[in-house]
Each structure stands twice: as C-alpha cells, then as structure tokens.
Amino acid sequence: MTEPSPTSSPHGLFVSFEGGDGAGKSTQARLLGAWLRGLGREVVLTREPGGTDLGVQLRDAVLHGDHVDARTEALLYATDRAHHVASVVRPALARGAVVVTDRYLDSSVAYQGSGRDLGADEVERLSMWAVDGLLPALTVLLDLDPVAGRARLTGEPDRLERAGDEFHRRTRAAFLTRASADPGRWLVLDATRPVDDLAEAIRARVTALGDVPSGRSLA
Ligand code: TYD
C-alpha cells in the first residue's frame, strides 16, 4: 500500500496559521503552499482579515480606522470571516483545493475573547456562527513571546499592535490554552526555531493528515 500523501487526496484541505504578530505565519504559510503546489495540489493562500475585496475594506477600518469598541471590533472580524468563508474558503474546498489561511477564527477567540476581555466562549460562538461551523483540519500555532514578536515588526504599528504588552500576553496564553484543549487539530511550534525546521515539522504533520476531509464541521 502506498503512503497517503497530500497528492492522493481528492478532498479539499483546510489549514490555518495562528500566533502573535511577527511570529512568521505568512512565511510558513507561503512555504507550505509552495510545497503542496509542488505535489500537484491546487493551493489557495489567503488571510484574515482581508482575504476578499470587502475584507480589504474591513481590514483597513479595523486596523487603521478610528477607535472602535471591543464588540464592534469583534463584529468587524466576524463579518470579514463570514464573507471570506462563504466566498473563498468553502468554494475552494468544494473543488478539492488546499486552503492555507494566515489567521482564522482562533485569532478572534484569542484577541477579542481574551485580549479584549469579551470572553472566549462568547467570541467562539459568534465566530462559529459566522462560518457555519467550519474548522480547519489543522491549525499551526507559531508560539512566540510577544516582546520578541514586536522586535521583529517593521513599519507603523496598527491598532492591535498598539494594544500593549499585557493584552498580547493574554492573547498568547489564550492560543496556548486553546491548542492544548484540542491537540488533534493543533500543532504548536516554537517560533524561534529556524525557518526550515519549522517548515519541515509542518510538512510532516500535513503528510500525517493523509486523506483528510475539507475541514471539521461542528454545525
Ligand atoms: P495580521 O494580518 O496578522 O497583521 P500583519 O499584516 O500586521 O502581519 O493581522 C492583523 C491584526 O489583526 C493582528 O494584530 C491580529 C488582529 N486580529 C484580531 O484581533 N482578530 C482576528 O480575528 C484576526 C483575524 C486578526
């Protein structure tokens, strides 16, 4: 029998990357995407917020607009995500593509639920409603001390990056708690490891998924 590999899967595969700012999510998403393309898979590389035209406007409003209260912020991310899932993620999974997203609903649970103190359970319910229950088959957490992450950033900090060390410590802790509660979905990696090591660990885990369904639906 041949080893199951990402090429053998007729199904879509949904993978998300999570972690603090500066953890290297986009680099690893890009490397995973390139590897999967090399195996002959269609890959859709995308991001939240801002994976659609409407999302680009919402991203600008939430990251660079005027102050908004925490609930408004949570709803802006949820709106971006609902439209992203309905118009990009689900159609791609339905045609058998691999969708690799730089952030997904776990960011809302960590940043708005714990960082902003809205409550992880409530924000999770809001997010799950927005996406009609679609969870990734794999979520990679690139874990990094927020102070180290900030040192890696370039350019003007956005609204979330300006939220302060305590906010970012709560967010990091929330990601780790969430990951340890569902090890079947999560892969937690120390983001200070060399880029190539991280990429290899991620490829190994994706390979181990074998012939996986497009995502896990709790709906
Ligand atoms: P990101 O695109 O990762 O930032 P950058 O382009 O600077 O790397 O995400 C933008 C910010 O939005 C980031 O600080 C995390 C935050 N965020 C939330 O607070 N909630 C969410 O649901 C998402 C998706 C992102």
Side-chain angles (χ1 to χ4, degrees):
M1 225 180 84
T2 51
E3 279 291 299
S5 78
T7 39
S8 67
S9 171
H11 303 294
L13 170 64
F14 188 23
V15 178
S16 62
F17 281 83
E18 297 285 5
D21 297 297
K25 296 179 299 300
S26 9
T27 302
Q28 290 301 331
R30 203 169 19 79
L31 290 172
L32 177 64
W35 176 69
L36 287 162
R37 278 189 189 120
L39 294 174
R41 294 294 302 253
E42 179 196 349
V43 175
V44 174
L45 270 182
T46 185
R47 61 147 37 165
E48 292 187 2
T52 61
D53 290 345
L54 172 61
V56 170
Q57 297 176 45
L58 293 167
R59 179 184 172 91
D60 195 45
V62 76
L63 293 183
H64 307 291
D66 293 340
H67 171 76
V68 288
D69 70 285
R71 283 173 190 268
T72 306
E73 183 180 287
L75 286 164
L76 286 169
Y77 282 112
T79 304
D80 166 75
R81 180 163 307 122
H83 183 56
H84 182 222
V85 165
S87 64
V88 175
V89 179
R90 284 195 189 272
L93 294 174
R95 54 174 198 268
V98 182
V99 177
V100 179
T101 185
D102 186 343
R103 296 194 184 279
Y104 189 57
L105 58 71
D106 300 291
S107 276
S108 280
V109 179
Y111 283 78
Q112 281 66 54
S114 299
R116 296 286 191 221
D117 270 340
L118 287 175
D121 290 350
E122 270 209 291
V123 173
E124 178 170 27
R125 273 198 297 280
L126 169 71
S127 305
M128 289 296 273
W129 182 82
V131 301
D132 201 9
L134 182 72
L135 281 176
L138 171 65
T139 297
V140 179
L141 174 60
L142 295 172
D143 177 54
L144 184 64
D145 179 332
V147 175
R150 203 176 47 221
R152 292 180 177 191
L153 296 179
T154 52
E156 275 294 297
D158 60 41
R159 273 186 63 246
L160 274 289
E161 286 162 0
R162 290 195 302 266
D165 287 350
E166 200 38 54
F167 172 94
H168 286 104
R169 267 196 287 277
R170 282 199 299 280
T171 301
R172 180 193 192 189
F175 275 131
L176 288 168
T177 303
R178 218 164 147 68
S180 63
D182 190 3
R185 171 161 74 94
W186 290 78
L187 171 66
V188 181
L189 296 170
D190 172 353
T192 63
R193 287 169 56 183
V195 170
D196 291 348
D197 273 19
L198 291 169
E200 196 182 315
I202 294 164
R203 289 196 297 267
R205 180 64 178 263
V206 169
T207 303
L209 287 174
D211 190 358
V212 288
S214 56
R216 296 181 343 184
S217 185
L218 298 188

